[in-house]
Amino acid sequence: MSVGWYWAVGGLRRAVALGAFLALAAFILGPLLTLLLWAFAGSWLFPNLLPEFSLKWWAYVLGNADVTKAIRMSFLSAPAATLLSAVICIPAAYAFARLEFPGRRVLLLSFLSANAFPKIGLYVSIATLLYRLNLMDTFAGVVLIQVINTLLFMIWIPTGTFRGINRNLEEAARDVGAGPLRTFFQVTLPIALPGLLVALLFAFLAAFDEAQGTLIVGTPNHITMPVMMYTLVLSYPQPVGAVFSVLLSLPSLVFLLVAQRYLRAGYLAAGYSL
Amino acid sequence: MTGSRREGALGLALVLPPLLLLVFLIVLPAITAVLDTLAPPPGASGLTLARYAQVLSARIVRADIAFSVVVTLVSVAAVFCLSYPLALYLRFAEGRLPAVLAVLFTIPLFVPVVIASFAMITFLVNHGLISTVLYHLGIQRFPPLVYNATGIVLTEVWASIPFAVLILGAGLQAIDDALIDSARDVGAGRLRTFVSILLPLNATPTMIALTLLFISIFGSFTIPYLVGGNAPQMLGVTMTNYLTQYFRRAEAVTMAVIAFAISAAVGAVYVVSVSRRERGTV
């Protein structure tokens, strides 16, 4: 199983690869490392290579009522949006992958439009709609805005996953007398689970990350963590933003660890390649 | 016969809920936005392009459009030049280094853009980590890296690498090993194999990656808002400012439609290449 010759391991080639690797590692990890250092800095004066360490900004951030409120709002709204999105999108994804119906291809592509129109132009119109429905500055309004951002992931990745499952397995189950629902829950779903988890994960991150629309729809009483982050970045001392960033990255970090196994298995790539 | 009709009905029924959401929260608002920008002044009838003429007559807006296109093209080119070798390396190299790299390059995917932007600022800013390290190396004068186009490009590249590598890598993965081996058997070198086998067979994923990168970078808001300078700025920031700072809704929406038109023109390339492929697999 080797086309390794294409990237043969000569000494020079290996040195170049290592150099490029270090440069890329510095580029990707450097900003995150700087942020992490700032989060534990009491003060950091130029040109010291390391800051004076202190936890005082953690006390400051966690003691702030607005911050804890934003954290609660984020951890309520993003899971709600992800679940709602999963419930309506996964059956649709199954239909896109397995059933023949008129307009299937066009409808599948139409979900791309969720990412093609500049969001800010949409939010203006959506805000008008939500205003009429009395959903401005409500939890439901914030969840709806977040769901929009999850649609593409929740349709496309599960569609790719279901399409990758061998049809013969399902047909074999049907042959031995299992009904369509039983076949789905006992055969299809367990095989599809890793791909669906990756979709859930990306949907959650997309919902959790949403700031622009939530800012418009949720102000002033339904502020999430990323919305708050704009204020913190622009008008607070550097360590405050850094501490908050670390808090805001925790869910992603957990997901990165959980998902690593599946990412390597290529489910993500399967989803992206449609 | 009835079986396939039932299947069609079931398929449509399952697809309906997310489709309704798409129609009510995206398609209809987008159409409303477009119609609003074409609406004539009160009392008159018909459609008018006056708002577009007015918005485009502002020199600042034209400068911002040009700036957005240039920054986006440079970012896409930079992402592509970094991602293609990386995807090739991950496809063909063996050993521990590629395994570590496969984890490393996905990290930005898990970092919210707000944080990525803020992290980039602390990294690149005057008296940030880069300038501290350069100072200790004896370099004290270098061009500013953030709050300008350079900062935007660097942050967009940082955030887009995983996406590009994943799509390009998936395409390369799909190319049969036997094909690559037989190219070598008939005496093709690495470059020749790349130019006449890998590049053409990976053309569709490449088109998909390039167009999606263009659309997402061109429409980005958070990165230019936090990492960019005051003027010129990217269109996403300009239209948001028009809406939330100057309360000029009509102009903001008009700019959104202009941005959409530019993205749609690029997106057409994507739709053509995807539907060609879809037809191939079904």
Side-chain angles (χ1 to χ4, degrees):
Chain A
M1 205 60 242
S2 180
V3 278
W5 63 269
Y6 192 80
W7 209 285
V9 261
L12 180 66
R13 207 162 251 270
R14 178 171 283 181
V16 170
L18 192 65
F21 171 78
L22 290 177
L24 188 73
F27 177 59
I28 290 182
L29 295 177
L32 298 176
L33 195 69
T34 321
L35 195 64
L36 199 61
L37 285 173
W38 265 113
F40 295 97
S43 65
W44 191 354
L45 297 173
F46 185 82
N48 299 334
L49 275 173
L50 286 175
E52 270 173 56
F53 289 101
S54 155
L55 289 175
K56 67 174 180 185
W57 296 108
W58 284 83
Y60 176 84
V61 168
L62 292 174
N64 185 323
D66 285 343
V67 170
T68 42
K69 200 177 157 200
I71 293 176
R72 195 168 345 115
M73 183 55 60
S74 269
F75 279 96
L76 286 175
S77 60
T82 312
L83 277 183
L84 179 64
S85 178
V87 167
I88 62 171
C89 290
I90 290 179
Y94 185 78
F96 277 126
R98 280 288 191 258
L99 304 176
E100 231 5 279
F101 54 90
R104 191 178 61 92
R105 199 180 304 140
V106 175
L107 291 179
L108 183 56
L109 277 175
S110 72
F111 282 91
L112 189 70
S113 67
N115 284 30
F117 201 89
K119 286 276 158 57
I120 188 71
L122 282 183
Y123 293 147
V124 179
S125 306
I126 295 174
T128 319
L129 178 77
L130 294 184
Y131 191 79
R132 261 185 235 137
L133 297 172
N134 268 332
L135 285 174
M136 285 298 269
D137 196 13
T138 61
F139 184 72
V142 170
V143 169
L144 270 183
I145 285 284
Q146 294 182 352
V147 167
I148 297 176
N149 280 16
T150 66
L151 283 181
L152 188 65
F153 295 116
M154 265 315 197
I155 294 284
W156 279 22
I157 299 183
T159 301
T161 310
F162 286 129
R163 197 174 280 169
I165 295 175
N166 195 336
R167 237 175 234 263
N168 293 339
L169 290 172
E170 291 172 339
E171 275 159 18
R174 299 293 294 273
D175 284 346
V176 296
L181 280 180
R182 180 137 182 242
T183 308
F184 179 78
F185 281 106
Q186 297 208 333
V187 178
T188 317
L189 198 59
I191 307 177
L193 208 55
L196 298 185
L197 281 179
V198 170
L200 279 171
L201 191 132
F202 276 89
F204 177 84
L205 292 180
F208 192 73
D209 213 5
E210 212 299 316
Q212 225 185 334
T214 314
L215 178 68
I216 295 174
V217 171
T219 313
N221 293 315
H222 294 78
I223 298 296
T224 56
M225 291 169 82
V227 174
M228 183 136 217
M229 188 70 195
Y230 283 123
T231 324
L232 292 182
V233 169
L234 295 173
S235 44
Y236 278 77
Q238 201 119 305
V240 173
V243 167
F244 201 68
S245 300
V246 172
L247 286 175
L248 189 52
S249 328
L250 284 180
S252 321
L253 196 69
V254 171
F255 277 131
L256 179 65
L257 295 176
V258 174
Q260 212 38 253
R261 202 150 57 98
Y262 302 124
L263 286 181
R264 236 177 272 164
Y267 284 102
L268 194 58
Y272 269 136
S273 65
L274 232 164
Chain B
M1 192 64 195
T2 46
S4 76
R5 188 170 296 169
R6 263 181 61 194
E7 186 180 311
L10 178 65
L12 281 177
L14 290 178
V15 168
L16 201 59
L19 205 62
L20 283 178
L21 214 54
L22 186 76
V23 167
F24 278 105
L25 290 179
I26 292 168
V27 177
L28 285 181
I31 293 175
T32 320
V34 174
L35 289 180
D36 277 354
T37 63
L38 295 171
S45 65
L47 299 173
T48 168
L49 286 171
R51 281 194 189 79
Y52 290 88
Q54 190 211 335
V55 165
L56 288 173
S57 71
R59 203 159 46 104
I60 298 173
V61 175
R62 286 202 310 269
D64 285 350
I65 293 177
F67 181 77
S68 305
V69 171
V70 171
V71 166
T72 306
L73 287 177
V74 172
S75 305
V76 172
V79 173
F80 185 74
C81 292
L82 272 173
S83 303
Y84 216 109
L86 193 58
L88 276 175
Y89 181 73
L90 291 173
R91 166 75 172 87
F92 293 111
E94 286 152 356
R96 208 180 307 150
L97 198 59
V100 176
L101 210 54
V103 178
L104 184 71
F105 90 88
T106 55
I107 289 176
L109 207 55
F110 294 88
V111 179
V113 260
V114 192
I115 297 177
S117 309
F118 182 55
M120 266 302 179
I121 295 173
T122 62
F123 188 54
L124 299 173
V125 77
N126 188 20
H127 291 196
L129 194 67
I130 286 262
S131 70
T132 305
V133 170
L134 287 177
Y135 175 87
H136 287 273
L137 294 174
I139 304 166
Q140 292 192 40
R141 292 170 61 85
F142 54 91
L145 297 172
V146 77
Y147 302 127
N148 55 21
T150 315
I152 301 178
V153 170
L154 285 174
T155 315
E156 297 281 8
V157 168
W158 193 90
S160 308
I161 282 182
F163 171 76
V165 176
L166 280 170
I167 296 194
L168 294 173
L172 289 174
Q173 209 65 51
I175 298 174
D176 199 343
D177 279 2
L179 216 56
I180 300 160
D181 275 332
S182 58
R184 183 168 73 152
D185 292 342
V186 296
R190 288 200 183 87
L191 190 65
R192 185 72 199 279
T193 309
F194 177 70
V195 171
S196 35
I197 306 263
L198 298 176
L199 208 56
L201 282 179
N202 202 23
T204 309
T206 307
M207 293 312 289
I208 294 177
L210 289 178
T211 44
L212 285 185
L213 280 174
F214 184 96
I215 290 173
S216 78
I217 295 176
F218 188 74
S220 62
F221 164 75
T222 303
I223 290 175
Y225 178 64
L226 294 176
V227 182
N230 283 326
Q233 242 308 359
M234 286 184 71
L235 219 43
V237 180
T238 315
M239 59 180 100
T240 309
N241 283 341
Y242 267 74
L243 181 73
T244 58
Q245 311 282 316
Y246 320 143
F247 301 105
R248 285 159 70 174
R249 192 193 130 132
E251 279 97 330
V253 177
T254 307
M255 277 182 236
V257 177
I258 294 173
F260 175 65
I262 296 174
S263 287
V266 177
V269 179
Y270 170 88
V271 170
V272 168
S273 50
V274 170
S275 52
R276 194 182 298 154
R277 208 165 90 139
E278 277 272 283
R279 222 165 287 143
T281 53
V282 171

